[in-house]
């Protein structure tokens, strides 16, 4: 698709959002002994790198890769684990770190999977939320910025694997 991109959320605004998110997360986990932040590959990588450097105390990071695909028989979506976390999460405070929540399918399935392993607590954090696109209800504890239903890229988020390296978030505008 021929397209161009337009800056939508600047580096400065992203930094401010991360400062605010980190303040809330630090307050929430002030008594936690070993927080484990779990990022979902690949989109969360840039956000995770910037967010974890703002979190105080004992923090560990880990990653999971999942792919979601349609299930024709139930018209729902299934999530397949491509790479699991390396850490044993049982009894741990776990914070899932996502770049974007769209339908909610990815986070919902990952949440269900990780809950079976009996963490001490499990919370969700996303930089961006697109509530208009939600298909499944999922409670998100920490939301950075709520955005309208736009096609966005940058700061970890891709369009056909491109643009993850943009330091800001941009809108994709189709050209004819
Ligand atoms: C994107 C995004 C979220 C997910 C949100 O990931 O990074 O993880 O989709 O969509 P949902 O709420 O409808 O599940 P994608 O599957 O494109 O993989 P990527 O992170 O490797 O780009
Ligand atoms: Mn993703
Ligand atoms: Mg993607």
């Amino acid at each position: 698709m021929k397209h161009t991109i337009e800056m939508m959320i600047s580096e400065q605004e992203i930094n401010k959002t991360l400062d605010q998110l980190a303040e809330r997360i630090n307050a929430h986990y002030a008594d936690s002994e070993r927080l484990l932040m779990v990022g979902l590959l690949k989109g969360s990588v840039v956000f995770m790198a910037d967010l974890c450097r703002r979190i105080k105390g004992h923090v560990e990071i880990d990653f999971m890769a999942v792919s979601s695909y349609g299930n024709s028989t139930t018209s729902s979506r299934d999530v397949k684990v491509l790479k699991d976390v390396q850490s044993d999460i049982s009894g741990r405070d776990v914070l899932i770190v996502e770049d974007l929540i769209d339908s909610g399918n990815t986070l919902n399935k990952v949440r269900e999977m990780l809950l079976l392993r009996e963490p001490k607590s499990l919370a969700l954090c996303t930089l961006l939320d697109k509530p208009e696109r939600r298909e499944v209800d999922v409670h998100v504890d920490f939301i950075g910025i709520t955005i309208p239903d736009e096609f966005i890229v940058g700061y970890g988020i891709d369009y056909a694997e491109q643009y993850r390296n943009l330091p800001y978030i941009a809108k994709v505008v189709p050209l004819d």
Side-chain angles (χ1 to χ4, degrees), residues 3-4 6 24 27 32 36 48 50 53 57 74 80 86 93 113 116-118 132 134 143 145 152 154-158:
H3 65 278
T4 186
E6 280 173 14
R24 294 176 55 206
S32 173
L36 178 66
M48 172 67 108
D50 284 345
R53 282 180 281 182
T74 62
K80 188 169 137 201
Q86 287 176 277
D93 286 314
M113 270 183 253
L116 294 175
R117 302 178 195 174
E118 304 185 330
E132 286 169 40
R134 203 70 96 249
I143 297 173
I145 307 175
I152 53 151
Y155 200 72
I157 300 167
D158 71 306

Side-chain angles (χ1 to χ4, degrees), residues 28-148:
H28 185 84
Y29 292 106
D31 298 326
S32 173
E33 299 201 336
R34 278 168 74 222
L35 176 63
L36 178 66
M37 299 172 75
V38 174
L40 302 186
L41 297 172
K42 304 173 196 169
S44 72
V45 166
V46 178
F47 177 43
M48 172 67 108
D50 284 345
L51 184 65
C52 75
R53 282 180 281 182
R54 288 170 163 86
I55 305 303
K56 300 193 174 93
H58 181 126
V59 175
E60 295 175 26
I61 65 172
D62 205 334
F63 293 93
M64 240 179 129
V66 299
S67 76
S68 89
Y69 52 91
N71 179 329
S72 53
T73 51
T74 62
S75 81
S76 67
R77 295 183 71 78
D78 277 329
V79 170
K80 188 169 137 201
V81 178
L82 304 176
K83 182 217 170 295
D84 205 339
V85 290
Q86 287 176 277
S87 327
D88 177 3
I89 69 162
S90 85
R92 303 282 305 268
D93 286 314
V94 177
L95 176 63
I96 301 174
V97 176
E98 252 295 32
D99 46 296
L100 171 67
I101 308 181
D102 204 323
S103 69
N105 278 299
T106 307
L107 262 189
N108 192 47
K109 288 282 160 61
V110 168
R111 195 182 150 272
E112 283 174 6
M113 270 183 253
L114 295 187
L115 274 178
L116 294 175
R117 302 178 195 174
E118 304 185 330
K120 182 177 171 200
S121 70
L122 184 64
L124 311 184
C125 171
T126 188
L127 175 61
L128 302 172
D129 184 22
K130 273 189 199 174
E132 286 169 40
R133 301 260 304 171
R134 203 70 96 249
E135 289 169 17
V136 288
D137 207 19
V138 48
H139 176 77
V140 187
D141 303 83
F142 307 98
I143 297 173
I145 307 175
T146 300
I147 57 168

